[in-house]
Amino acid sequence: MEAYKKPVPEPDHVTRPFWEATKQNRLLIQRCPDCGDRQFFPQAHCRGCLSDQLEWVESKGKGTVYSFTVIHRPPAAAFEKDAPYTVGLIDIDEGCRMLSNIVDVNPEDVRVGMPVEVLFEEITPEISLPKFRPRRQS
Amino acid sequence: MAIVGIGESEIGTVPHKNPMQLHADATKAALEDCGLDKGDIDGVLTAGITNPMEIMHSVLLSEYLGVQPRFTTSMHIGGATQIQLVISAANAIHCGMADVVLIAAADSIRSFVGYEKLMGMSVEGVTDLLSRIGHDQFEVPYGPTLISAYALAAARHMHEYGTTREQLAQVAVSVRKHAAMHPTAQKRTPRTIDEVLASKMISWPLSKAMCSIISDGGGAFIVTSLERARDLKKNPVLLLGAGARTLREHVSLVGDLIRTGAVDAGRQAYAMSGLGPKDIDFAEFYDCFSITPILFLEDFGFCEKGEGGRFVEGGERIEIGGEIPIVTHGGCHAHCHPGTPSGIFHIIEAVKQLRGEVEGNRQVKGAGAGLINGLGGHFSSHTALILGTD
């Protein structure tokens, strides 16, 4: 198999549980026990109230496309064979937004508001990257 | 408070000058423009440059210019920086921490003169560095670009309001028309909508001609008290109002991409100046991509939300002689875009318009008040400035 050349996430002390979970095809977001906010991407403090007691909760991995773009000129050579590829902002049902790729669909068939669901792409033995595809059933 | 002297370096492709020379050329021109001596400068503010090796940039520039300021710093909030520097200068003067503040910004991101310090990094390497934006773990692995952040806003606006790629192209065409009337703009050949639409697709819906150009060059201007300004060579241009709002850095956290922080920045600037959109004679919108002037026409109240695309159609309302001429010098699309410093040209153009010293038919007739705005990052930081005549 050809080596994966695109940037690979490097888990840190805060994000390690997230990346451990994606290896098991689970998508985690953070929930604040103090103010109830949910947040993605993860960080040590709650962006709502600065609590540092954030908990991980599992997302069902379903959402809708807030917007998308089809990238013809990638940021680096490693993405060139993928171009044109779709980058979207996904509003997941639990109330957070994620930037991701929208895959398993022709870029010209992607629509704002399209229902999507998560899938996990194993890019290295350590990292599975969550991406989104059109939802198969509602 | 007033802006008294303005100056620009050579702009476009300037392979024989490094950023420090560009800063100094612009500063010298700004001093000559108002008749102040460099010894009068006691405040120096800069936007720094892209080269991450250049730390304490405003101190380095002060040394290069042979001035010893009381008040100095560099600031980095992307395309919103220049107006934030004006706000900082006004505050420092108001508090007695400076009397004459130089604001200068320049870079060499076309020729990369002076970038040899980034050892082992080719020009392509630097370009890669510049285009690698976003969160290391949660954005970068998906291959977004700076341009894609603006494409996401454009696609959302198209979805919600029926804005078209032809309307986006019209912004590029109108702004280019203004650049064609500017004697030193980098891109001066007029363009048609079809040409803009047919240019290379970068990040749908944005094609190359809907994006900023890449330039060398810089500008400088001097801010001082109105009292001091009235003794100088040219009529002072007054700071009438300003506002700013920063939302979030990462595009995935900004929230609403098509009702921007410019709404709040504009509200503050209008309140401070006592003016409203109807009093503004021209608007130097930060035009890093063709979607932004459409958003800003709406967010600063020149038309209803969602009407921006139809407002620009045909170009008459946004060109010189129209209802609200925008980006009258050609902006980031066509005049000069050396990265973060490019917003300085929007301010310099506004000063020229208000002095009535613009070349030929680019002059907005009876220009008494102008709006300038800044936008940094990915709809992250927003600034607004209203300038007027004495």
Side-chain angles (χ1 to χ4, degrees):
Chain A
M1 200 178 123
E2 206 183 322
Y4 188 83
K5 293 205 180 79
K6 292 181 278 186
V8 177
E10 290 177 30
D12 58 39
H13 64 288
V14 174
T15 64
R16 194 157 289 117
F18 175 87
W19 294 111
E20 290 298 326
T22 58
K23 279 201 283 189
Q24 302 154 12
N25 292 354
R26 293 163 60 226
L27 182 67
L28 299 186
I29 58 173
Q30 288 178 308
R31 195 191 82 88
C32 176
D34 294 338
C35 75
D37 272 11
R38 287 157 201 272
Q39 72 180 17
F40 189 86
F41 49 85
Q43 61 181 32
H45 288 85
C46 172
R47 287 188 280 269
C49 73
L50 292 185
S51 170
D52 61 356
Q53 300 298 311
L54 293 161
E55 305 164 343
W56 294 100
V57 293
E58 190 165 343
S59 159
K60 291 196 173 71
K62 295 191 186 329
T64 55
V65 176
Y66 170 79
S67 192
F68 70 97
T69 174
V70 183
I71 297 190
H72 292 251
R73 188 178 162 193
F79 287 96
E80 259 156 32
K81 70 175 170 46
D82 297 348
Y85 59 94
T86 307
V87 165
L89 291 172
I90 312 302
D91 286 336
I92 60 171
D93 291 353
E94 289 82 3
C96 303
R97 184 173 288 174
M98 297 179 67
L99 185 142
S100 188
N101 295 130
I102 302 170
V103 297
D104 290 356
V105 57
N106 286 329
E108 57 266 35
D109 294 331
V110 178
R111 295 285 178 272
V112 173
M114 177 183 260
V116 288
E117 63 187 10
V118 74
L119 74 160
F120 296 89
E121 192 182 302
E122 189 180 335
I123 58 172
T124 69
E126 291 77 36
I127 295 290
S128 289
L129 208 53
K131 296 188 173 182
F132 288 84
R133 67 182 170 210
R135 221 181 291 174
R136 302 249 158 103
Q137 76 288 332
S138 53
Chain B
M1 236 66 77
I3 295 178
V4 294
I6 53 173
E8 291 181 15
S9 72
E10 272 180 75
I11 63 169
T13 305
V14 192
H16 50 287
K17 291 192 174 176
N18 67 25
M20 214 44 106
Q21 290 174 283
L22 298 170
H23 279 88
D25 287 347
T27 299
K28 208 172 162 187
L31 287 167
E32 279 161 13
D33 182 58
C34 62
L36 282 167
D37 181 80
K38 81 177 173 74
D40 296 321
I41 295 171
D42 64 354
V44 175
L45 297 176
T46 76
I49 65 171
T50 292
N51 190 338
M53 308 291 283
E54 293 271 4
I55 53 170
M56 290 179 69
H57 181 265
S58 72
V59 178
L60 287 172
L61 178 64
S62 299
E63 174 185 277
Y64 189 95
L65 297 172
V67 301
Q68 297 184 324
R70 292 196 282 156
F71 171 66
T72 187
T73 194
S74 294
M75 205 179 276
H76 306 274
I77 53 169
T81 305
Q82 313 306 331
I83 291 173
Q84 195 68 263
L85 294 176
V86 175
I87 294 170
S88 302
N91 286 339
I93 294 164
H94 180 74
C95 296
M97 294 306 296
D99 295 317
V100 175
V101 180
L102 167 71
I103 295 178
D107 210 342
S108 174
I109 64 164
R110 187 173 179 82
S111 304
F112 287 110
V113 183
Y115 275 72
E116 298 79 9
K117 274 195 246 171
L118 286 178
M119 290 194 304
M121 199 174 260
S122 64
V123 166
E124 288 71 28
V126 178
T127 309
D128 269 5
L129 183 76
L130 294 183
S131 56
R132 198 178 309 140
I133 62 107
H135 192 291
D136 276 350
Q137 293 179 55
F138 299 104
E139 294 180 350
V140 169
Y142 301 103
T145 61
L146 178 63
I147 298 167
S148 68
Y150 290 85
L152 288 164
R156 181 74 196 187
H157 203 270
M158 289 164 73
H159 170 78
E160 276 196 41
Y161 300 118
T163 303
T164 63
R165 289 194 68 237
E166 286 72 14
Q167 292 165 344
L168 292 170
Q170 180 63 56
V171 172
V173 168
S174 294
V175 170
R176 178 65 77 94
K177 196 184 273 189
H178 293 162
M181 295 187 250
H182 190 296
T184 60
Q186 187 176 331
K187 300 276 188 187
R188 304 183 59 222
T189 317
R191 266 208 164 122
T192 65
I193 287 184
D194 286 343
E195 285 167 349
V196 174
L197 291 174
S199 65
K200 189 173 180 294
M201 186 59 76
I202 304 290
S203 186
W204 181 91
L206 300 179
S207 55
K208 190 173 180 193
M210 299 175 188
C211 301
S212 296
I213 55 172
I214 300 290
S215 318
D216 306 324
F221 59 88
I222 290 162
V223 181
T224 191
S225 65
L226 185 53
E227 196 180 18
R228 183 108 190 226
R230 287 198 171 117
D231 294 335
L232 298 172
K233 256 160 82 173
K234 291 188 175 166
N235 288 335
V237 166
L238 275 51
L239 309 186
L240 299 180
R245 179 63 66 195
T246 286
L247 302 170
R248 299 281 176 85
E249 211 282 327
H250 294 91
V251 69
S252 56
L253 293 184
V254 164
D256 193 335
L257 290 181
I258 58 173
R259 275 158 284 263
T260 76
V263 173
D264 194 25
R267 195 180 293 137
Q268 295 167 49
Y270 285 141
M272 193 186 293
S273 63
L275 302 178
K278 289 194 166 52
D279 306 307
I280 302 295
D281 300 309
F282 61 90
E284 308 299 356
F285 291 137
Y286 196 70
D287 61 316
C288 46
F289 299 96
S290 297
I291 182 61
T292 63
I294 290 176
L295 295 172
F296 295 145
L297 282 164
E298 300 168 356
D299 289 348
F300 286 104
F302 295 101
C303 64
E304 292 298 314
K305 181 46 73 183
E307 290 298 317
R310 284 175 284 279
F311 192 93
V312 305
E313 228 165 60
E316 294 85 1
R317 299 168 89 178
I318 57 167
E319 290 170 12
I320 309 283
E323 221 168 289
I324 179 74
I326 66 164
V327 201
T328 55
H329 60 310
C332 307
H333 275 74
H335 171 264
C336 182
H337 175 258
T340 299
S342 60
I344 204 157
F345 298 111
H346 294 68
I347 298 172
I348 289 171
E349 170 71 5
V351 171
K352 284 191 207 167
Q353 289 285 358
L354 292 165
R355 285 175 176 176
E357 63 182 25
V358 171
E359 313 80 3
N361 49 7
R362 215 174 85 252
Q363 176 68 49
V364 174
K365 290 197 176 63
L371 170 73
I372 309 102
N373 86 316
L375 164 57
H378 331 102
F379 297 99
S380 311
S381 289
H382 297 264
T383 48
L385 178 67
I386 296 175
L387 299 179
T389 48
D390 197 3

